[in-house]
Amino acid sequence: MTDKERKFLVELLACTPSKFKRWMEGAQNALVLWAASMLGMVLGWLILAWLIHLLVNLEVGMRSPYALGVVSLLAPVCGLYAICSSVQWVRNWPDPSEALRQDISGGKVLDETYNVIEAKRFKEPEHGGLIYFLRMDDDRVLVIYDHESIALEMEGENALSSSFEPRRELHIVRAPSTEYILEQEFSGEKLELSAPVDLTVPPDQWPEQESWCEIPWLELERRLGMPGF
């Protein structure tokens, strides 16, 4: 591991939220979610109360004797929902800190060279960034997000003008525990690229960046570019 690579991992670890900060953000999330759910429930109750008053002339709204009981019921129910949802959110929050410490203390990197057979690119709808799928000569598919294309789209420019340019040979330096790519360099002949395919699946179904894709090469468009798959 070079000093530059070690510095990058150390800075990345310093930016990783601690457990205390995660739970503090979880608490803030719970408060916001509790207020939002209370608002939604109260609006629903008022609409229902209006319908009941319209149909049977019975007052069950804010000015009725039932108001205190309804609010006393809604507040803890919404609070419990907010707490449970926020706890689950914090627990599902990826925490790479331990793996980062292992990479830093180990002081080793993986030096890899791949032969790229072909490439496909998809365009994500939220920011317009490009996601590249690179098929290697052993049929594995590597996923690389083009962050420059996202920046270009956010600046009002065309993502296709990004300098990211896949070629036949890819050299990667990767951290062994986190599997983060520390350096990447293409060389050799340029790969032919077709027009980007629009991603139509939700973000939680997108492959992780800098990872080996579990979707077979021939099923990428069907699984990622069409709704319902």
Side-chain angles (χ1 to χ4, degrees):
M1 181 181 295
T2 64
D3 291 339
K4 179 182 177 181
E5 293 160 354
R6 182 184 298 276
K7 181 181 178 182
F8 173 78
L9 292 174
V10 169
E11 291 176 349
L12 198 59
L13 178 60
C15 296
T16 301
S18 63
K19 288 185 178 180
F20 176 76
K21 185 174 181 180
R22 291 167 185 266
W23 285 109
M24 285 298 295
E25 292 195 20
Q28 295 173 10
N29 182 78
L31 288 174
V32 173
L33 188 56
W34 177 77
S37 59
M38 274 292 293
L39 177 61
M41 293 290 280
V42 168
L43 288 176
W45 166 40
L46 293 178
I47 293 173
L48 181 61
W50 175 76
L51 290 174
I52 292 175
H53 180 74
L54 187 66
L55 295 173
V56 297
N57 197 28
L58 176 64
E59 181 61 54
V60 294
M62 295 289 287
R63 298 180 181 180
S64 72
Y66 306 102
L68 181 59
V70 172
V71 173
S72 299
L73 176 64
L74 291 181
V77 169
C78 292
L80 182 62
Y81 164 73
I83 291 172
C84 292
S85 297
S86 297
V87 167
Q88 189 67 22
W89 175 64
V90 172
R91 287 178 174 172
N92 290 337
W93 193 341
D95 183 7
S97 56
E98 183 57 35
L100 281 168
R101 292 188 184 95
Q102 292 175 5
D103 285 333
I104 294 169
S105 62
K108 302 289 185 181
V109 294
L110 302 176
D111 193 288
E112 307 165 336
T113 300
Y114 297 98
N115 293 319
V116 186
I117 302 300
E118 52 187 328
K120 293 179 181 179
R121 54 187 174 180
F122 288 73
K123 190 169 186 178
E124 52 93 358
E126 185 176 357
H127 301 108
L130 299 174
I131 302 176
Y132 284 80
F133 294 77
L134 309 178
R135 181 189 173 203
M136 307 304 174
D137 57 1
D138 60 1
D139 279 337
R140 289 190 298 171
V141 179
L142 181 66
V143 181
I144 298 181
Y145 284 46
D146 180 8
H147 298 288
E148 182 184 344
S149 67
I150 298 176
L152 287 170
E153 283 286 326
M154 294 181 70
E155 293 170 0
E157 300 183 35
N158 191 343
L160 297 179
S161 63
S162 170
S163 62
F164 188 90
E165 190 176 65
R167 293 174 177 265
R168 289 292 178 187
E169 188 170 283
L170 172 60
H171 176 242
I172 289 177
V173 176
R174 189 193 298 271
S177 296
T178 56
E179 297 190 348
Y180 291 159
I181 294 178
L182 306 178
E183 296 180 36
Q184 67 180 30
E185 182 180 3
F186 287 100
S187 60
E189 179 187 356
K190 292 182 182 179
L191 292 171
E192 293 185 6
L193 294 170
S194 59
V197 177
D198 290 331
L199 275 172
T200 56
V201 295
D204 61 354
Q205 295 182 29
W206 299 355
E208 293 289 334
Q209 62 176 326
E210 302 178 356
S211 67
W212 295 108
C213 183
E214 297 180 357
I215 302 174
W217 178 257
L218 296 178
E219 295 187 20
L220 287 174
E221 288 89 347
R222 185 179 69 86
R223 299 271 292 274
L224 298 175
M226 296 177 60
F229 292 89

